[in-house]
Amino acid sequence: MDSRRESSETLRNKCAACFRQYNRMEHLVEHMKVSYHSVHEPKCGVCGKHCRSFESLREHLIGPLPKVECARVFSVRGCSFCLNIFDSNATVRYHRASCQYSRAAPMPRGGITGRAVALACKMVGGGSDGSVDLCASVCLIGEDETTIFQTYVKPTVPVTNYRYEVTGIRPEYLRDAMPLKVAQRRIQDILCNGEPLWKLRPRSYGRAKILVGHGLDHDLERLGLDYPAFMIRDTAKYPPLMKTSKLSNSLKYLTQAYLGYDIHTGIQNPYEDCVAAMRLYIRMRSQAHLRDYNSGSGEAQNNYPAWRQRELERMSPEELLALSASDYYCWCLDY
């Protein structure tokens, strides 16, 4: 009798998002305070479990120790790229043709389309041992993957390692290349698009462009550029695309796992990196989340204050989940 009562009590104290179970209701409340579950988390289409990242969802569906029933359904009706579940195997086959991308071929220069631009750089080496990264090539593309700006950049210090096997850059390419200061101004003009940088505010940035890329902190530092953090969409730091809360996935892995093709198989082209980052951004931006604008703002809100503790402990797990908010800005809100 006691075991049945304990089992039903534990079930009542089960998180409605990640399904963890607790012996006491106050432990569930403490879990909700620090977990930041929300409608913006990746979610299993079979059992409805919320996962912190797409890597966790992948482990849940097709990892070494998957949830058996979910894995069975996913093997028949699931897409291995977007991890969504569909109504039938035929629907999955039709969907996969549009979900899997092919390797991008450089497109001609065009105007800026859409609200976002992607940036990527390639570095050569400076310093006595060639370990200091110097920007030698930069590319910007629009949402339609047309090239907005691409040039070789002349470093301000001598180059001691051209890293040809990776960059494909030779000394003669940089001899008459664009000076770094000129490249800075050109890129800043494209990003600001006529808006003064000091006027930009979250959710109110006028004509200025959202900047997309992978490892943008490093690229912007090497270019000597500043851009507001709320205007940056970095696939290396976006929680749903990270390996763990502290560890990023490589752009090569993300492209292979979520877009379905390989990059960095030889000499690396910054255009190819731009396209991969932009495609990942558009895929994440297109997630079909509920438009909950109180959640996913990027501010870690405490919706479980101590003065409500008794009230919270009387709530159901579903009611507790309804109060929860994401601690990161979800890119679906860019729509």
Side-chain angles (χ1 to χ4, degrees):
M1 187 74 168
D2 289 342
S3 63
R4 285 201 301 272
R5 186 185 302 116
E6 185 174 332
S7 176
S8 63
E9 188 66 21
T10 302
L11 191 62
R12 194 182 90 80
N13 302 336
K14 179 180 178 181
C15 176
C18 66
F19 301 161
R20 290 183 183 176
Q21 297 184 20
Y22 297 89
N23 290 327
R24 299 173 68 87
M25 191 62 183
E26 55 263 38
H27 296 161
L28 174 58
V29 173
E30 289 303 314
H31 163 75
M32 297 302 293
K33 287 180 181 179
V34 299
S35 61
Y36 300 105
H37 292 307
S38 78
V39 297
H40 301 283
E41 289 179 307
K43 185 177 177 181
C44 175
V46 182
C47 68
K49 179 182 178 180
H50 291 228
C51 298
R52 181 65 178 175
S53 68
F54 282 100
E55 283 301 292
S56 299
L57 180 57
R58 189 178 291 275
E59 290 287 319
H60 173 77
L61 293 169
I62 53 177
L65 295 171
K67 183 74 176 293
V68 176
E69 178 60 20
C70 297
R72 185 188 66 78
V73 174
F74 186 82
S75 66
V76 178
R77 297 192 281 118
C79 174
S80 58
F81 302 118
C82 65
L83 304 182
N84 287 327
I85 307 288
F86 295 87
D87 295 334
S88 67
N89 186 261
T91 308
V92 173
R93 288 199 301 270
Y94 177 79
H95 161 82
R96 195 172 284 140
S98 60
C99 194
Q100 182 176 10
Y101 286 88
S102 59
R103 193 163 184 170
M107 294 181 68
R109 290 178 182 264
I112 303 176
T113 59
R115 295 174 60 189
V117 297
L119 177 145
C121 300
K122 288 302 167 190
M123 309 290 174
V124 292
S128 58
D129 59 354
S131 63
V132 179
D133 284 344
L134 305 171
C135 179
S137 176
V138 62
C139 178
L140 277 88
I141 68 166
E143 289 189 24
D144 62 353
E145 301 178 9
T146 56
T147 303
I148 300 169
F149 175 69
Q150 185 167 15
T151 185
Y152 289 112
V153 178
K154 190 169 187 176
T156 54
V157 299
V159 178
T160 55
N161 183 357
Y162 284 87
R163 304 173 183 173
Y164 176 77
E165 296 79 6
V166 176
T167 65
I169 295 174
R170 298 181 182 277
E172 55 266 28
Y173 297 171
L174 303 184
R175 199 165 293 138
D176 298 315
M178 182 178 289
L180 180 61
K181 292 288 185 185
V182 177
Q184 285 174 347
R185 287 196 298 272
R186 292 283 299 276
I187 295 168
Q188 195 81 60
D189 289 344
I190 292 168
L191 295 179
C192 292
N193 198 27
E195 291 285 344
L197 197 60
W198 60 270
K199 277 190 174 182
L200 303 184
R201 298 289 183 273
R203 294 199 173 280
S204 178
Y205 37 80
R207 298 185 301 276
K209 297 297 176 181
I210 291 169
L211 178 60
V212 177
H214 188 84
L216 282 171
D217 287 348
H218 182 250
D219 286 349
L220 291 175
E221 180 189 3
R222 296 295 90 192
L223 285 167
L225 290 172
D226 288 320
Y227 205 55
F230 58 83
M231 299 288 290
I232 291 175
R233 308 290 182 264
D234 194 336
T235 56
K237 297 169 70 176
Y238 187 51
L241 291 176
M242 293 179 69
K243 187 178 294 185
T244 68
S245 60
K246 303 289 185 184
L247 190 61
S248 299
N249 279 305
S250 67
L251 184 60
K252 180 181 176 70
Y253 170 79
L254 292 174
T255 304
Q256 186 180 54
Y258 299 104
L259 300 178
Y261 68 97
D262 289 318
I263 61 171
H264 300 171
T265 54
I267 289 176
Q268 299 177 14
N269 187 333
Y271 174 83
E272 188 174 58
D273 289 0
C274 283
V275 170
M278 181 62 80
R279 288 174 174 178
L280 286 166
Y281 166 71
I282 290 174
R283 176 152 291 177
M284 293 298 106
R285 189 181 67 181
S286 303
Q287 294 292 307
H289 297 154
L290 296 174
R291 290 298 184 258
D292 177 6
Y293 285 91
N294 294 320
S295 178
S297 64
E299 298 178 2
Q301 303 172 19
N302 181 7
N303 294 332
Y304 306 94
W307 60 268
R308 294 186 66 186
Q309 185 70 19
R310 288 175 181 260
E311 178 189 353
L312 295 170
E313 290 176 13
R314 290 194 295 269
M315 290 183 177
S316 68
E318 291 73 21
E319 289 171 331
L320 287 173
L321 178 59
L323 288 176
S324 188
S326 176
D327 59 342
Y328 63 87
Y329 178 83
C330 184
W331 292 350
C332 79
L333 301 176
D334 283 345
Y335 264 141

